[in-house]
Amino acid sequence: MKSLVLVEHENGDLKDATLSAVTAAAKLGEVHLLVVGDSVSGVAEAAAKIAGVGKVHVAEDAAYAHQLAENVAPVIAQLMGHHDAFVAPATTTGKNVAPRVAALLDVMQISDVIDVVDADTFVRPIYAGNAIATVKSSDAKKVLTVRGTAFEKAARDGGSGTIEAVSGSGDAGLSSFVGAEIAASERPELTSAKIIVSGGRALGSGEAFHQVIDPLADKLGAAVGASRAAVDAGYAPNDYQVGQTGKIVAPELYVAVGISGAIQHLAGMKDSKLIVAINKDEDAPIFQVADIGLVGDLFKLVPELTEKL
Amino acid sequence: MKLLVPVKRVIDYNVKPRVKADGSGVDLANVKMSMNPFDEIAVEEAIRLKEKGVATEIVVVSIGPAKAQETLRTALAMGADRAILVQTDDAVEPLAVAKILAKIAAEEQPGLVVLGKQAIDDDSNQTGQMLAALLGWAQGTFASKVEVSGDSVDVTREVDGGLETVKLKLPAIVTTDLRLNEPRYASLPNIMKAKSKPLATKSPADYGVDTTPRLTTLSVREPSKREAGVKVGSVDELIDRLRTTGVIG
C-alpha cells in the first residue's frame, strides 16, 4: 500500500506534526510525501531526509502559499490516482483540507486516527474522547487525519527520498488570503512542547494569568496553555486553549494550575506522561487524573515553585 | 441572500456518554438530546446576518430521525424561517450528509451555507468541507468572525497558531467555531410562533442519495482510565517528586 502524507510546514520549517503522520502512514506501507507551498524547496529537502520516506512530491505556486483548501485539494486529489491512502496531520490545516480531498475522491474520511490496526481498520476517539471506536473502511482509497500525540515522531534524518516536482492547477479563483494574527512567542509550540504549564479560570484575570503562569513556564522552558474557561473569560488568547475543542497535547510534563478539570479539558491533555495539578479545591476532578497533586492557594504555591526550581 | 443552515440532533453536551456493555456503541436510550452546540452557533450567526439586512431568508435542514423535528423547531424558534427534515432512521455519514446538502443547495440556491465545524457525537469535522468540494465552492472553516460585503465574505478562522482571515467568493461554506457568537435562547412567544412555521419532510431517496455507510463500527470501548496519583503536602515535596521522575533536572 502506498500512502501520500501532507507535509505541514510554516515559514520554511517542517513541523513535527508531519513526523507523527509519517509514522502512522508507515504502518500502511510505503510512504510518499507532498509539500505544497510557495518557494518550499528547503522544506522538500528536509522532508526527503525523514527516515523511511520514498518520493517527495513538491507543488510550488504562489496560490499554495497559505494552504488554501480550494487550491491545495485538487493537487492532492490528482496525486491520489497513484496512491492508496492520503494521510494528513489532524492540525487545523489538515482538518481543513482532508475532507475536501475525501469528497473529491468520493471517500468517507476517518478523522483523528489514534491507531492503525490494518490497512482498512482504524481506531479513533468519539464523543470528545469519552468513547473509543474501531472502524473498518470499505472504500478502495483511504483518507485519514491522524492525531500527532498518538504516534511517535519519525526521525528527521536517515531518509533519502527523491524529490519530484508536480504541477497543479494553481489558483481555483474561489478564495484568497487576507492576513493572519499569529502570536509570536519565544516559547515552544504547544503541540510539540515537552513541558506545558496551563492556567485555568482560578487565575481570575489576564494580568494574574501572566504574572503567575509565565515565570514558571519560563523557568521550565515550557509552553503556556489554558483551559477553555480561562480563554472564554479572556485571560488567555484562543490559541492557548488545550482541550477537545482546542489543542490536543501529550507532553512529558503537564502542569495544570487552577484548572478544575472539565471533561473537555481532560480530553485534550490526559495522555500527558506526567500530570501535576495545583488547585485549592481538593475535590476538583483534575486530581483524578493527576500523578502529583498539590492542594492550596496557587497565588502562593506557584511563585514558590518558580523560585525553588 | 438566502442562508442554508444544516443542524444535527445530538446527545446534550451536558450528558456524559456511556458506552454500551456489549461494545456496540454509545447508549442513547432515554438520554437528553439537543441541537449540536456548533450548529446552534451557526443558527445564531445566520439570524444576526438577517438582522443586519445581509440575509433575507434562513432555511434550516436536518438529516435524521423524526425527532430531529424538535431540533428544527428550536432553530425556527430562535429565528429561522422554514425547515426541511430529511427523515431517516439510519446513521448517515458526513459524506452522504454532504451529498444530500449539495442537492438541497442546488434547489435552494443559498448565498451562504453556515454549519457547525463538527458534531459532538462523532467528532468528524468533515461535512462543511465535503459540501464545499461537492459544490465547488469556497470554504471558511472554524470561523470566529464572518463579514459579508458585496459578492464576497471575509472569514476569520481559528487556526493552530492564532487567527487567519480569508476572503471567499460567494456562494460559500462557513463552519463555525466556539467564539463566533453566543447563541440566544428562544423566547416563549417565539417557541409558540415556530410551531406554525413551514417544515417540509423529505427522504434521502427524494434527493437520489445512497446513504449506505462506508465505515463499519467494529467496536466501541471506554477510554483507558488514568489512575489518580498522590497528593503532596508542599512545594518542596512536589519538586522532590519531579526530580525523581527525571522530567526536570
Side-chain angles (χ1 to χ4, degrees):
Chain A
M1 210 171 158
K2 209 155 72 175
S3 297
L4 182 70
V5 174
L6 180 66
V7 172
E8 177 121 356
H9 60 90
E10 197 175 42
N11 305 322
D13 292 326
L14 185 144
K15 296 179 90 176
D16 280 354
T18 311
L19 306 173
S20 308
V22 165
T23 303
K27 292 193 162 199
L28 296 169
E30 215 179 311
V31 180
H32 292 190
L33 302 181
L34 170 63
V35 180
V36 201
D38 187 22
S39 311
V40 286
S41 55
V43 179
E45 279 163 33
K49 291 194 185 106
I50 298 173
V53 307
K55 243 176 236 173
V56 178
H57 300 278
V58 185
E60 283 188 297
D61 193 308
Y64 305 146
H66 299 285
Q67 309 290 320
L68 295 170
E70 297 80 359
N71 299 347
V72 171
V75 179
I76 301 166
Q78 174 199 319
L79 281 168
M80 283 305 289
H82 323 286
H83 294 83
D84 307 300
F86 173 65
V87 180
T91 55
T92 46
T93 306
K95 288 174 177 176
N96 187 43
V97 75
R100 193 165 178 115
V101 173
L104 292 176
L105 300 173
D106 193 28
V107 167
M108 177 55 207
Q109 174 180 309
I110 303 151
S111 300
D112 266 322
V113 169
I114 56 170
D115 196 12
V116 175
V117 179
D118 60 40
D120 300 309
T121 315
F122 306 92
V123 181
R124 60 178 303 261
I126 51 175
Y127 291 87
N130 283 298
I132 308 293
T134 303
V135 296
K136 191 177 164 88
S137 162
S138 62
D139 284 314
K141 291 186 192 284
K142 315 294 180 218
V143 174
L144 320 173
T145 63
V146 303
R147 198 172 269 195
T149 54
F151 297 92
E152 294 292 320
K153 295 181 187 83
R156 275 185 185 260
D157 44 39
S160 52
T162 51
I163 296 174
E164 203 173 284
V166 292
S167 55
S169 41
D171 191 352
L174 294 172
S175 56
S176 58
F177 175 81
V178 176
E181 287 170 50
I182 302 297
S185 169
E186 297 294 304
R187 295 204 183 88
E189 214 187 324
L190 254 180
T191 46
S192 55
K194 287 200 168 59
I195 303 180
I196 294 173
V197 180
S198 274
R201 190 161 46 189
L203 270 309
S205 72
E207 206 178 26
F209 190 97
H210 290 295
Q211 276 170 7
V212 175
I213 301 295
D214 290 4
L216 178 58
D218 289 340
K219 198 80 173 247
L220 289 167
V224 177
S227 68
R228 182 178 157 193
V231 172
D232 284 350
Y235 304 164
N238 157 50
D239 49 297
Y240 278 35
Q241 187 183 322
V242 172
Q244 175 62 18
T245 50
K247 294 191 173 69
I248 312 285
V249 300
E252 305 273 316
L253 172 62
Y254 189 90
V255 185
V257 177
I259 291 177
S260 63
I263 294 172
Q264 103 88 29
H265 186 75
L266 300 183
M269 48 62 82
K270 67 181 162 51
D271 292 327
S272 305
K273 291 221 171 62
L274 188 77
I275 298 174
V276 171
I278 301 174
N279 202 303
K280 69 172 187 313
D281 173 12
E282 61 177 322
D283 295 323
I286 190 78
F287 289 120
Q288 288 164 22
V289 300
D291 300 286
I292 310 175
L294 180 57
V295 179
D297 179 7
L298 68 91
F299 293 102
K300 265 198 345 239
L301 296 172
V302 178
E304 186 189 340
L305 175 62
T306 306
E307 198 198 303
K308 287 181 172 169
L309 275 169
Chain B
M1 180 167 79
K2 194 193 280 186
L3 303 178
L4 185 65
V5 184
V7 296
K8 186 177 184 184
R9 179 176 185 265
V10 298
I11 188 168
D12 187 86
Y13 76 102
N14 280 315
V15 176
K16 184 168 164 52
R18 302 239 172 258
V19 173
K20 285 188 201 165
D22 65 359
S24 64
V26 166
D27 194 359
L28 295 178
N30 303 316
V31 164
K32 186 182 176 202
M33 304 290 278
S34 302
M35 191 191 302
N36 178 40
F38 290 104
D39 298 342
E40 223 175 345
I41 294 171
V43 174
E44 175 65 33
E45 195 62 20
I47 297 167
R48 290 186 189 188
L49 287 169
K50 193 179 169 191
E51 285 168 349
K52 275 190 226 160
V54 174
T56 48
E57 190 190 16
I58 302 166
V59 181
V60 285
V61 51
S62 192
I63 298 158
K67 282 199 165 167
Q69 268 199 42
E70 294 165 12
T71 312
L72 289 167
R73 291 285 174 209
T74 304
L76 294 171
M78 285 171 74
D81 298 297
R82 63 187 169 87
I84 302 169
L85 171 64
V86 183
Q87 196 176 322
T88 170
D89 287 327
D90 300 332
V92 186
E93 291 171 346
L95 181 63
V97 169
K99 287 178 182 176
I100 294 171
L101 293 176
K103 290 283 171 65
I104 295 175
E107 272 179 25
E108 297 283 348
Q109 302 279 319
L112 207 55
V113 181
V114 191
L115 69 169
K117 72 167 181 180
Q118 74 190 63
I120 62 164
D121 48 6
D122 62 18
D123 286 330
S124 288
N125 194 334
Q126 299 174 5
T127 304
Q129 296 90 314
M130 286 179 158
L131 178 60
L134 296 176
L135 294 168
W137 292 2
Q139 65 187 54
T141 50
F142 327 141
S144 66
K145 198 172 163 195
V146 176
E147 271 179 298
V148 177
S149 54
D151 59 356
S152 69
V153 56
D154 280 10
V155 178
T156 301
R157 309 176 52 230
E158 297 197 2
V159 294
D160 287 337
L163 298 170
E164 173 190 283
T165 304
V166 290
K167 188 181 279 297
L168 312 176
K169 202 177 121 186
L170 293 176
I173 310 290
V174 169
T175 78
T176 61
D177 217 320
L178 284 175
R179 272 160 286 271
L180 181 58
N181 61 48
E182 232 173 276
R184 70 194 63 191
Y185 291 102
S187 66
L188 192 58
N190 284 344
I191 292 171
M192 298 312 288
K193 250 197 284 180
K195 288 184 178 163
S196 56
K197 286 186 180 176
L199 190 154
T201 304
K202 302 274 194 179
S203 77
D206 292 338
Y207 298 100
V209 174
D210 177 8
T211 59
T212 311
R214 308 287 185 87
L215 305 181
T216 315
T217 300
L218 302 181
S219 72
V220 175
R221 63 170 172 86
E222 297 262 355
S224 34
K225 288 242 179 344
R226 220 187 147 98
E227 297 293 312
V230 293
K231 284 210 177 102
V232 294
S234 69
V235 166
D236 292 323
E237 213 182 315
L238 170 61
I239 293 173
D240 280 348
R241 292 231 171 217
L242 285 175
R243 293 233 154 92
T244 330
T245 61
V247 284
I248 61 164

